[in-house]
Amino acid sequence: MSNTAGQVIRCKAAVAWEAGKPLVVEEVEVAPPQRMEVRLRILVTSLCHTDVYFWEAKGQTPLFPRIFGHEAGGIVESVGEGVTDLQPGDHVLPIFTGECKDCRHCKSEESNMCDLLRINTDRGAMLHDGRTRFSKNGQPIYHFLGTSTFSEYTVVHVGSVAKINPQAPLDKVCVLSCGISTGLGATLNVAKPTKGSTVAIFGLGAVGLAAAEGARISGASRIIGVDLNANRFNDARKFGVTEFVNPKDYDKPVQQAS
């Protein structure tokens, strides 16, 4: 165990105190992990539009103050009771759709919507006791997606942690936590394009590029990228996109363009 195991850790975190208001870097307290929980030292984190959407609090139940973030990489600092497959020093990625490994969904090859750890944007506390592990001057600060990576330390359920090769560069593989797995998984596991097929991808951001990579792996012969930003086209070629369409170039629906 680390020399901070079992102790409250004080660290910096970007806290959203109100919807749509700038995040404030605060010193917060991060409690030790409880049963089946892991405390992580977050080394790198990226920004996903989902974080922005829930920070804006449009179309959902606001829950503040909150620490956002779910695309990250870090190292296990300490583990709680019952955790046997992770130990301090392990390199990991936090996962917002976790797996308990025991429910019918986790045992199914057709679903990853775990009964216990499926994505829940309204839940702001830990499952073990319904309490948060973040606080400032005694005031609880809510979790987000069970990850809350906009903090130097965070506490997550052990089922929401993926152990990775320690040689993998965390500043690059952190996007596997969301953007890459979302696009690649949508192509390989849902769309399932056949070899020689034609695939159209709308939007060539991180998710779109990952979807293109999935289409390439599947053997699609034509991968058509559609985006309003032509500056993305060169990078998209590296992910297998063979043709490009910019809707701004047409004054009628693209299917009517010659």
Side-chain angles (χ1 to χ4, degrees):
M1 286 287 187
S2 68
N3 56 13
T4 51
Q7 303 176 24
V8 172
I9 289 179
R10 289 175 173 79
C11 69
K12 296 293 181 62
V15 180
W17 290 101
E18 298 179 58
K21 298 295 179 65
L23 305 186
V24 180
V25 176
E26 304 270 17
E27 183 178 78
V28 301
E29 296 85 39
V30 185
Q34 300 302 305
R35 178 170 178 77
M36 302 307 290
E37 295 175 0
V38 181
R39 188 161 61 184
L40 309 178
R41 180 188 174 201
I42 299 297
L43 298 182
V44 293
T45 187
S46 57
L47 175 67
C48 174
H49 191 267
T50 300
D51 297 306
V52 177
Y53 179 77
F54 283 91
W55 164 72
E56 292 174 333
K58 296 178 180 178
Q60 82 280 149
T61 304
L63 186 62
F64 294 92
R66 205 170 202 183
I67 296 175
F68 289 103
H70 63 281
E71 240 179 17
I75 298 175
V76 175
E77 176 271 335
S78 61
V79 301
E81 178 187 353
V83 177
T84 58
D85 52 353
L86 289 171
Q87 60 184 1
D90 284 344
H91 286 220
V92 296
L93 303 178
I95 305 298
F96 63 85
T97 299
E99 296 182 2
C100 70
K101 301 180 181 179
D102 292 322
C103 73
R104 58 193 176 94
H105 288 287
C106 287
K107 293 179 178 180
S108 167
E109 295 183 358
E110 300 300 322
S111 171
N112 69 335
M113 300 304 291
C114 176
D115 285 334
L116 179 67
L117 298 172
R118 70 177 59 189
I119 184 171
N120 184 331
T121 57
D122 291 333
R123 185 170 61 231
M126 301 300 292
L127 291 170
H128 174 67
D129 55 9
R131 301 175 64 182
T132 70
R133 301 290 175 260
F134 298 112
S135 63
K136 180 174 177 60
N137 298 327
Q139 179 182 1
I141 300 174
Y142 295 109
H143 297 248
F144 178 64
L145 296 181
T147 51
S148 292
T149 62
F150 291 174
S151 176
E152 291 177 321
Y153 287 85
T154 188
V155 177
V156 302
H157 190 281
V158 66
S160 296
V161 180
K163 183 178 177 179
I164 63 172
N165 188 319
Q167 294 182 340
L170 290 174
D171 61 335
K172 293 179 174 61
V173 299
C174 64
V175 292
L176 291 172
S177 290
C178 180
I180 302 303
S181 56
T182 299
L184 193 71
T187 305
L188 297 179
N189 300 325
V190 181
K192 299 179 180 179
T194 57
K195 187 175 182 179
S197 61
T198 297
V199 175
I201 297 170
F202 292 81
L204 297 174
V207 174
L209 293 178
E213 178 68 8
R216 186 194 65 79
I217 292 172
S218 299
S221 60
R222 296 179 66 195
I223 304 174
I224 304 169
V226 183
D227 201 296
L228 296 172
N229 184 357
N231 292 328
R232 291 177 167 180
F233 293 170
N234 283 335
D235 285 337
R237 287 190 177 90
K238 302 174 185 177
F239 292 84
V241 180
T242 58
E243 303 166 52
F244 300 93
V245 174
N246 185 341
K248 289 183 177 179
D249 295 338
Y250 303 93
D251 57 3
K252 55 186 175 181
V254 69
Q255 63 266 33
Q256 297 177 14
S258 58

